[in-house]
Amino acid sequence: MKFSFKNDYSEGCHPNILQTLLQCNLEQQAGYGEDEYSLKAKELIKEKIKKADSEVYLVSGGTQANLIVISSILKPYQCAISASSGHVLNNETGAIEATGHKILSIETEDGKLRPSDIIPVLESHKNVPHQVMPKLVYISNSTELGTIYQAKELEELSDFCRQNRLYLFMDGARLGHGLTSEISDLTLERVAELTDIFYLGGTKNGALIGEAIVINTISLQEDFAFNIKQKGALLAKGRLLGIQFLELMKDDLYFDLAKHANQQAMKIKNAFRSKGVQFLADTYTNQIFPIVSNELIKVLSESFDFFVWKKVNEDFSAIRLITSWNTGDDAVNSFIEIINREL
């Protein structure tokens, strides 16, 4: 059976979660997120970010989180701004547009947005009231290209958004990986200070399902629960989400799992680099994009699954390799053995 480096949600969940689910299985708990586990998980997240006035909402997946957040806080004539590689643009089947909100796309090489990228968009949307109003800046950390925001970059973007009355929303499907990157100087607490809304992704980092939406701007908290219910995201058995986030947040398991995934990816990255291989983007998270020959892709494909991400020329393509919290040394070492043999 092939080992898959295609994504970080092919895995099940961390054993701690399964054990707790089993232990409390016969308990009766309140529904719709009012169970003791969900309440404790939300409080623990607020303790981690050191913002008692933030509100936490648990939903099942990333697309669901993006859809609910963007569609609920924007007025009908307002739109979002995203890098061209953004998940909401390319991998959510037009979910945001289906709610009536346009997404303005900005081409960037590294998947990140900077104030200088956004200024032209604002300048070109001043024909009031004939154009949509840019109101929300959507970013991911780590990005779809595996890159991360450093503290100074996020600070500058946050200041710019506040000066221009734009909401800043961070997709945190891989936030654990972004924050535990060996080059990151950003903290979870700082993310909460600098964004209006972000979420902690569990699906790609040790949970069966689940993302924790954190709303830091008080004015956006009002009536948010109605949007979750209306969009079908309020689980009757909310403890399924609560238990998972309680286990992940306890003793920083969430960050330990993400750090492990990053370290496994860096082993593969360093093996490629030692052979002179170039990368589509210089990443330090659990996603890497080496540019390799079609011949090597064919050899690697015999034992491993991965995406051929982008054709570079007739002979070479960038592949995407993603490691997870459960990626073991055996798989990584076997992959590296082929690299050393073939290159």
Side-chain angles (χ1 to χ4, degrees):
M1 183 176 179
K2 291 184 178 181
F3 185 86
S4 177
F5 286 110
K6 276 192 169 184
N7 54 58
D8 36 16
Y9 44 85
S10 294
E11 316 289 349
C13 67
H14 192 273
N16 287 10
I17 291 174
L18 278 183
Q19 183 177 4
T20 305
L21 285 169
L22 183 62
Q23 288 174 345
C24 74
N25 187 50
L26 298 181
E27 294 178 6
Q28 286 189 326
Q29 287 284 331
Y32 301 108
E34 295 300 319
D35 59 281
E36 63 178 283
Y37 301 100
S38 294
L39 296 177
K40 287 179 181 178
K42 292 176 182 180
E43 287 303 313
L44 186 52
I45 290 172
K46 288 196 279 187
E47 288 177 17
K48 297 284 186 184
I49 64 176
K50 294 183 171 59
K51 280 184 68 71
D53 59 353
S54 292
E55 290 294 336
V56 181
Y57 301 87
L58 305 180
V59 298
S60 67
T63 296
Q64 193 178 61
N66 290 333
L67 169 66
I68 294 169
V69 167
I70 296 176
S71 66
S72 66
I73 69 175
L74 293 186
K75 295 178 179 178
Y77 50 84
Q78 294 174 336
C79 69
I81 297 170
S82 169
S84 58
S85 58
H87 202 272
V88 291
L89 269 173
N90 300 307
N91 293 285
E92 295 184 354
T93 324
I96 307 305
E97 291 92 336
T99 66
H101 297 287
K102 187 174 184 177
I103 303 176
L104 302 176
S105 174
I106 298 176
E107 289 289 337
T108 66
E109 290 187 1
D110 59 3
K112 296 190 286 185
L113 288 179
R114 299 168 178 82
S116 58
D117 299 316
I118 301 171
I119 290 173
V121 174
L122 301 184
E123 291 294 326
S124 63
H125 284 76
K126 290 186 174 181
N127 189 15
V128 179
H130 303 285
Q131 292 176 291
V132 290
M133 176 194 292
K135 188 62 178 178
L136 178 144
V137 174
Y138 166 90
I139 61 173
S140 300
N141 193 43
S142 59
T143 70
E144 293 299 302
L145 298 180
T147 54
I148 64 169
Y149 284 87
Q150 298 287 11
K152 184 179 179 181
E153 292 176 312
L154 190 60
E155 289 164 4
E156 291 175 350
L157 186 57
S158 178
D159 289 344
F160 176 83
C161 287
R162 287 169 181 169
Q163 291 166 11
N164 289 275
R165 300 177 65 187
L166 300 168
Y167 300 131
L168 182 57
F169 170 42
M170 178 182 285
D171 178 330
R174 293 189 175 96
L175 185 54
H177 306 96
L179 295 180
T180 59
S181 167
E182 64 185 65
I183 66 168
S184 176
D185 63 352
L186 195 59
T187 64
L188 183 62
E189 181 180 349
R190 198 75 180 114
V191 168
E193 292 173 354
L194 296 172
T195 61
D196 293 290
I197 303 179
F198 74 95
Y199 67 86
L200 285 159
T203 305
K204 295 176 179 177
N205 192 35
L208 284 171
I209 59 171
E211 321 293 303
I213 300 171
V214 183
I215 305 181
N216 305 305
T217 299
I218 294 175
S219 62
L220 299 178
Q221 297 170 1
E222 186 177 1
D223 298 335
F224 190 80
F226 286 93
N227 296 290
I228 292 180
K229 176 64 176 181
Q230 189 179 71
K231 296 296 189 297
L234 186 60
L235 290 186
K237 295 185 179 180
R239 66 184 185 183
L240 173 61
L241 298 173
I243 287 169
Q244 294 184 91
F245 274 98
L246 186 57
E247 289 299 323
L248 289 173
M249 291 295 108
K250 284 196 312 187
D251 304 319
D252 287 334
L253 176 63
Y254 182 78
F255 299 103
D256 290 340
L257 298 181
K259 186 175 182 179
H260 170 80
N262 289 346
Q263 290 172 338
Q264 296 297 72
M266 290 304 97
K267 292 177 185 178
I268 298 175
K269 176 183 177 180
N270 291 334
F272 274 121
R273 179 178 281 170
S274 69
K275 298 296 184 178
V277 171
Q278 300 297 308
F279 293 81
L280 190 64
D282 190 20
T283 66
Y284 292 84
T285 60
N286 69 322
Q287 297 186 85
I288 61 173
F289 299 81
I291 300 172
V292 297
S293 67
N294 295 335
E295 288 80 4
L296 181 57
I297 291 175
K298 184 177 180 180
V299 173
L300 290 170
S301 296
E302 293 175 1
S303 301
F304 300 92
D305 283 329
F306 49 85
F307 282 112
V308 178
W309 191 254
K310 182 179 180 180
K311 185 176 181 179
V312 176
N313 55 45
E314 290 299 319
D315 300 315
F316 285 82
S317 295
I319 61 174
R320 185 184 72 170
L321 303 169
I322 301 183
T323 51
S324 79
W325 65 272
N326 196 35
T327 300
D329 290 336
D330 288 347
V332 171
N333 292 338
S334 295
F335 194 92
I336 292 174
E337 284 179 12
I338 297 176
I339 296 172
N340 291 334
R341 184 184 73 227
E342 299 293 328
L343 294 179

